[in-house]
Amino acid sequence: MDWDSVAAEDVIEALREVEWSASPRSLAEFFSRFAFPRSFSKWMSRLKCNLYYYRTNYFILLIFVLGLALITRPLAILGAALTALSLAFLNDSFAATFNEKMIRTIRHISPHLAAKMRPPHMPVIRGRSATRKTVYICGQPRLVFVLIGLTASFVLWFTSCGLLWVLYAFTTAILMILLHASLRTPNLKARLNTFREEFRAVWRNYSEL
């Protein structure tokens, strides 16, 4: 896989659609073989590869840093949890899984209400949706839940007087992720094995267009 030919927008789109249920990479692999990139193109290629390959590790690192920084602020911790959940909704697989579990739970209480929460059917032309697929959660577009979660987390951060501290912790976590992704040399598995198959699975439909 030639990561030089993969645009940043493609990586973001792949992260949005790929499965996040895979276990994180081991710590021995995550913290081994660091080196400075030899050129800007090598750095960009390494950055995109590592952000995709170690996505679960980076997400856990982000939550860990936020939790560690907010350990003395319960409301801010709840706000961080809501933020993490809202950002997780941006992934198609997580949003669809969450929607199905919520509908199954509500079905035990009110089957009629659960039926109303089913997403509307999209017309299909030649095996593909006529419009870009819209992800629904409990019958509402995903963006509604993302905005509600982010707004509620902002209120909790502001109430706990920890908004600036949260921004500082979030910035620190992002810098740590970028530093690791820039210095971690892609191993053979990252180059030739798992990530290639996952990335091909994500983009197989696009190659047919």
Side-chain angles (χ1 to χ4, degrees):
M1 183 81 182
D2 184 11
W3 285 94
D4 290 332
S5 61
V6 179
E9 294 80 4
D10 297 337
V11 177
I12 294 174
E13 188 71 12
L15 289 174
R16 187 180 68 84
E17 296 186 355
V18 76
E19 293 282 348
W20 283 65
S21 58
S23 301
R25 310 298 173 181
S26 65
L27 292 179
E29 177 186 347
F30 190 64
F31 291 107
S32 64
R33 297 187 60 188
F34 292 94
F36 286 99
R38 291 173 292 180
S39 64
F40 179 78
S41 61
K42 291 290 184 182
W43 173 70
M44 286 299 298
S45 178
R46 178 186 299 183
L47 186 66
K48 289 180 286 189
C49 177
N50 286 334
L51 286 177
Y52 181 82
Y53 188 68
Y54 293 110
R55 58 187 180 272
T56 306
N57 297 71
Y58 292 146
F59 187 77
I60 294 175
L61 177 62
L62 176 64
I63 300 304
F64 176 78
V65 172
L66 287 175
L68 191 64
L70 304 174
I71 195 170
T72 60
R73 294 177 171 88
L75 288 179
I77 292 178
L78 181 58
L82 281 175
T83 300
L85 181 62
S86 302
L87 294 178
F89 282 148
L90 296 177
N91 178 260
D92 293 353
S93 176
F94 180 86
T97 302
F98 182 88
N99 177 61
E100 287 298 324
K101 290 184 177 181
M102 284 294 297
I103 291 179
R104 289 176 185 175
T105 302
I106 296 174
R107 187 185 294 125
H108 290 90
I109 303 173
S110 175
H112 182 69
L113 179 61
K116 289 185 176 181
M117 290 183 175
R118 287 291 178 182
H121 294 287
M122 295 294 182
V124 175
I125 300 178
R126 294 183 181 180
R128 299 189 183 92
S129 176
T131 59
R132 185 176 179 81
K133 181 182 178 182
T134 301
V135 179
Y136 287 84
I137 301 177
C138 297
Q140 299 297 322
R142 161 176 53 188
L143 184 60
V144 174
F145 280 81
V146 173
L147 294 177
I148 291 176
L150 292 179
T151 302
S153 62
F154 179 83
V155 172
L156 290 173
W157 290 344
F158 187 81
T159 304
S160 65
C161 301
L163 181 59
L164 292 179
W165 185 247
V166 168
L167 294 177
Y168 171 77
F170 184 80
T171 303
T172 301
I174 295 298
L175 291 177
M176 291 174 62
I177 291 173
L178 292 177
L179 182 63
H180 181 277
S182 299
L183 299 179
R184 176 64 172 91
T185 57
N187 54 26
L188 184 60
K189 183 187 296 185
R191 289 175 177 172
L192 301 177
N193 192 12
T194 306
F195 86 91
R196 174 190 294 178
E197 298 303 323
E198 292 176 342
F199 202 88
R200 284 180 176 176
V202 170
W203 291 106
R204 186 175 294 115
N205 292 333
Y206 289 92
S207 64
E208 297 175 355
L209 293 178

